[in-house]
Amino acid sequence: MFMMCLPLLVWADNQQPITEAQLPAVARKFIQSHFPKANVMVATQETEMFGKTYEVLLDTGVKMEFDSKGNWKELQTKQGALPTTVVPLEVQRYIKQYFPRQNVQCLERDRTNIDVKLDNGVEITFDKNYRVVEID
């Protein structure tokens, strides 16, 4: 069930480097809003069967994946924590209550779930209404 936090930026034949300006406007605004001091080191566009996806690596070590419209699909850091501004409020509340000393290192979302990985290795899956459906 957990497909989360797989390494991003896996190079494939249909993946090509792009400039930050070529990212969808929604993705650029997201990066500027939540990571204002970070710089884009690498950005790629991958053409898939159902559209394009974009992957970004910031100079802070944060890796991101965006859908064709620029909405984030996955956010990941190996050091420290993701900014709380990218973590849904309901998820923040749950983590503060049950894992108060832990930080979010990875978020992955699809149409039905949001998967969260904490810095202690705990993985939590929330449904679209932010109810916990699995803890691993």
Side-chain angles (χ1 to χ4, degrees):
M1 175 136 193
F2 278 94
M3 299 184 339
M4 63 184 284
C5 302
L6 297 176
L8 297 174
L9 300 176
V10 175
W11 291 93
D13 291 336
N14 59 354
Q15 193 170 41
Q16 55 186 309
I18 60 171
T19 66
E20 182 177 357
Q22 292 173 296
L23 290 168
V26 171
R28 289 193 318 267
K29 184 176 180 182
F30 178 86
I31 294 168
Q32 292 165 356
S33 297
H34 299 287
F35 302 90
K37 296 180 181 178
N39 296 304
V40 173
M41 289 179 45
V42 177
T44 61
Q45 173 185 296
E46 184 173 356
T47 303
E48 299 177 338
M49 186 182 303
F50 300 108
K52 296 178 181 180
T53 59
Y54 300 88
E55 294 179 358
V56 174
L57 175 61
L58 301 179
D59 60 0
T60 59
V62 174
K63 297 177 183 178
M64 306 175 188
E65 183 177 350
F66 298 95
D67 66 17
S68 61
K69 295 178 182 176
N71 300 306
W72 70 267
K73 293 172 56 176
E74 184 172 351
L75 307 170
Q76 177 182 4
T77 185
K78 292 187 185 231
Q79 296 180 1
L82 291 171
T84 56
T85 58
V86 302
V87 181
L89 187 57
E90 297 86 346
V91 173
Q92 288 182 44
R93 287 181 185 142
Y94 182 87
I95 292 169
K96 186 175 181 179
Q97 181 177 357
Y98 296 102
F99 300 94
R101 293 192 172 99
Q102 305 308 311
N103 294 307
V104 175
Q105 286 195 314
C106 184
L107 291 171
E108 184 177 357
R109 70 178 174 187
D110 59 26
R111 291 182 213 142
T112 59
N113 292 324
I114 184 166
D115 294 321
V116 178
K117 184 173 182 182
L118 304 178
D119 57 3
N120 65 351
V122 171
E123 298 175 350
I124 308 165
T125 300
F126 295 85
D127 67 14
K128 64 182 178 181
N129 296 313
Y130 300 104
R131 293 181 297 225
V132 174
V133 295
E134 183 176 354
I135 297 179
D136 189 21

